[in-house]
Amino acid sequence: MSDTHSLDTLVQALRRLPGVGVRSAQRMAFHLLQHDREGAQLLARSLQDAVSQVRHCALCHTFTEGEVCATCQDPRRDASKLAVVETPADQAALERTGAFKGRYFVLMGKLSPLDGVGPRDIGMHKLIERASDGTVQEVILATNFTAEGETTAHVIAQALKNRGLTVTRLARGVPAGSELEYVDLGTIAHALVDRR
Amino acid sequence: MSDTHSLDTLVQALRRLPGVGVRSAQRMAFHLLQHDREGAQLLARSLQDAVSQVRHCALCHTFTEGEVCATCQDPRRDASKLAVVETPADQAALERTGAFKGRYFVLMGKLSPLDGVGPRDIGMHKLIERASDGTVQEVILATNFTAEGETTAHVIAQALKNRGLTVTRLARGVPAGSELEYVDLGTIAHALVDRR
Ligand SMILES: [Zn+2]
Ligand SMILES: [Zn+2]
């Protein structure tokens, strides 16, 4: 219908969100226009603010509104340890454990040759520079334990080891609270290989 | 982190979309800021345009940018038949069949006492007025075949029949292309009751 141009445009724009198909986009547009116009306006403003304010930390690449993010600025963090994670969400997961007090480098992605994501796209050059600053003693690879995460860890490990840096990887193993009987074989095999 | 205020605000705003939890909202925000800032700006503009342009058709209540929607303005539509649907998406589904050439009334919702949605919220008063215009000869209830859709149809049917109007309901039955063996019992029972 030609008299719903702005509605059609909104549905198309919502479809650019990851995981949102045409049905979901229509449901979202309907909900916002019928029940939550205030939410629609809030979302519009938030999008514009975020696009204009959010940039990448000059040191670790994560999202920040300043030149350098709060974590990188924190003098209490151990500058000799650098954890490499894929995304800010992964960094947040590590932070929640309270078990890591070092610094981070956030790849903002993972190597994925099939999708055309190469070393430059994950800031490999910057990571090497960062890890070679003379203060970093150990780089802990905390990419995900997926095929792409493992490949990413492998490629980074090679590049850093070639420069004489100490590189470690999070241990694979049996999740806390699991009974061996119900854990998949691959996980048990990894736990055996990585036994302490 | 205090230096990601606009990012946090964006995640909260995205959570107001139906079906979007905190994980999805974070993934959406990450995607937009890392990979599709143009999409974020397009979405912001689309939201503002839709909020300022889209209103309800004076005759059928659906979304439109004019005073009266294109369907209601179309002189080729049969004004003696009025289909009552829950949403514009349901109206679009009926239109795709090409089997209905009458007019519509879009409830923009359904009766849901538990959620505080009463007759006034679905425009019952306006529907009665619309159906009593002297031109409408038959009101076809095309609400969904869910508990709430059936209740809505029942309540509307009572109100219109009390005013001497002819009210029909879409037939329940076996979906086209189904084998009886695999159709649930309730559907077969309804198909028996509604047999032609
Ligand atoms: Zn940083
Ligand atoms: Zn209309």
Side-chain angles (χ1 to χ4, degrees):
Chain A
M1 280 182 282
S2 59
D3 65 339
T4 57
H5 175 71
S6 63
L7 180 58
D8 301 339
T9 305
L10 174 57
V11 170
Q12 290 307 314
L14 285 164
R15 288 193 63 187
R16 288 175 83 141
L17 294 170
V20 176
V22 65
R23 287 289 174 95
S24 302
Q26 284 173 341
R27 204 172 60 239
M28 287 171 174
F30 178 82
H31 174 80
L32 291 173
L33 290 171
Q34 185 68 13
H35 302 295
D36 193 14
R37 288 186 176 224
E38 194 191 309
Q41 286 174 315
L42 175 70
L43 180 53
R45 281 196 305 275
S46 305
L47 285 161
Q48 284 168 330
D49 286 353
V51 166
S52 69
Q53 303 289 327
V54 174
R55 45 177 164 164
H56 292 99
C57 172
L59 284 176
C60 76
H61 258 203
T62 197
F63 290 135
T64 177
E65 293 183 13
E67 175 73 15
V68 172
C69 78
T71 309
C72 286
Q73 278 181 26
D74 186 348
R76 292 163 302 179
R77 310 283 314 199
D78 180 355
S80 73
K81 290 185 170 52
L82 186 70
V84 177
V85 294
E86 292 179 21
T87 66
D90 296 331
Q91 178 182 4
L94 268 187
E95 284 295 288
R96 277 196 296 274
T97 68
F100 181 70
K101 296 297 179 195
R103 309 244 166 147
Y104 288 93
F105 188 89
V106 187
L107 302 169
M108 302 304 271
K110 52 187 179 287
L111 287 178
S112 180
L114 292 177
D115 299 319
V117 182
R120 188 167 39 181
D121 302 296
I122 60 168
M124 181 76 100
H125 180 77
K126 206 144 188 183
L127 168 57
I128 291 171
E129 194 182 290
R130 180 83 181 78
S132 312
D133 69 353
T135 311
V136 173
Q137 300 296 313
E138 178 187 358
V139 177
I140 299 145
L141 300 177
T143 54
N144 289 317
F145 285 75
T146 57
E148 288 175 333
E150 294 278 24
T151 303
T152 304
H154 180 75
V155 172
I156 293 173
Q158 288 303 317
L160 297 180
K161 281 176 185 166
N162 286 346
R163 283 160 181 82
L165 290 156
T166 301
V167 181
T168 59
R169 176 87 168 106
L170 286 190
R172 297 166 300 187
V174 179
S178 312
E179 295 180 70
L180 281 186
E181 185 179 353
Y182 302 109
V183 173
D184 72 280
L185 295 183
T187 298
I188 295 177
H190 283 316
L192 271 170
V193 173
D194 291 350
R195 68 186 182 278
R196 293 175 297 178
Chain B
M1 280 181 283
S2 59
D3 66 339
T4 57
H5 175 72
S6 63
L7 180 57
D8 302 340
T9 305
L10 174 57
V11 171
Q12 289 307 313
L14 285 164
R15 288 194 63 188
R16 289 175 81 142
L17 294 170
V20 175
V22 65
R23 286 288 174 95
S24 301
Q26 283 172 341
R27 202 171 63 238
M28 287 171 174
F30 178 83
H31 175 80
L32 291 174
L33 291 170
Q34 185 69 13
H35 302 295
D36 193 13
R37 288 185 178 226
E38 193 191 309
Q41 285 173 314
L42 175 70
L43 180 54
R45 279 196 307 274
S46 305
L47 285 161
Q48 284 168 329
D49 287 352
V51 166
S52 70
Q53 303 290 327
V54 175
R55 47 178 161 162
H56 292 99
C57 173
L59 284 176
C60 76
H61 258 204
T62 197
F63 291 134
T64 178
E65 293 182 12
E67 175 75 14
V68 172
C69 78
T71 310
C72 286
Q73 277 180 27
D74 186 347
R76 292 164 301 180
R77 310 284 313 200
D78 179 356
S80 73
K81 290 186 172 49
L82 186 71
V84 177
V85 295
E86 292 179 19
T87 66
D90 296 331
Q91 178 182 3
L94 267 188
E95 284 295 289
R96 277 196 296 275
T97 67
F100 181 71
K101 295 298 181 193
R103 310 245 165 146
Y104 288 92
F105 189 89
V106 187
L107 302 170
M108 302 303 272
K110 54 187 178 287
L111 287 178
S112 181
L114 291 177
D115 299 320
V117 182
R120 189 168 38 182
D121 303 295
I122 59 169
M124 181 76 98
H125 180 76
K126 207 144 186 182
L127 168 57
I128 291 171
E129 193 182 291
R130 179 83 180 78
S132 312
D133 69 353
T135 310
V136 174
Q137 300 296 313
E138 178 187 359
V139 177
I140 298 145
L141 300 177
T143 55
N144 289 316
F145 285 74
T146 58
E148 287 174 334
E150 294 280 23
T151 302
T152 304
H154 181 74
V155 171
I156 293 173
Q158 287 304 317
L160 297 180
K161 282 177 183 165
N162 286 345
R163 282 162 183 82
L165 291 156
T166 301
V167 181
T168 59
R169 177 86 169 107
L170 287 189
R172 299 165 298 187
V174 180
S178 312
E179 295 181 68
L180 282 187
E181 185 179 352
Y182 303 108
V183 173
D184 72 280
L185 295 183
T187 297
I188 295 177
H190 283 317
L192 272 171
V193 173
D194 292 350
R195 68 187 182 278
R196 294 177 294 177

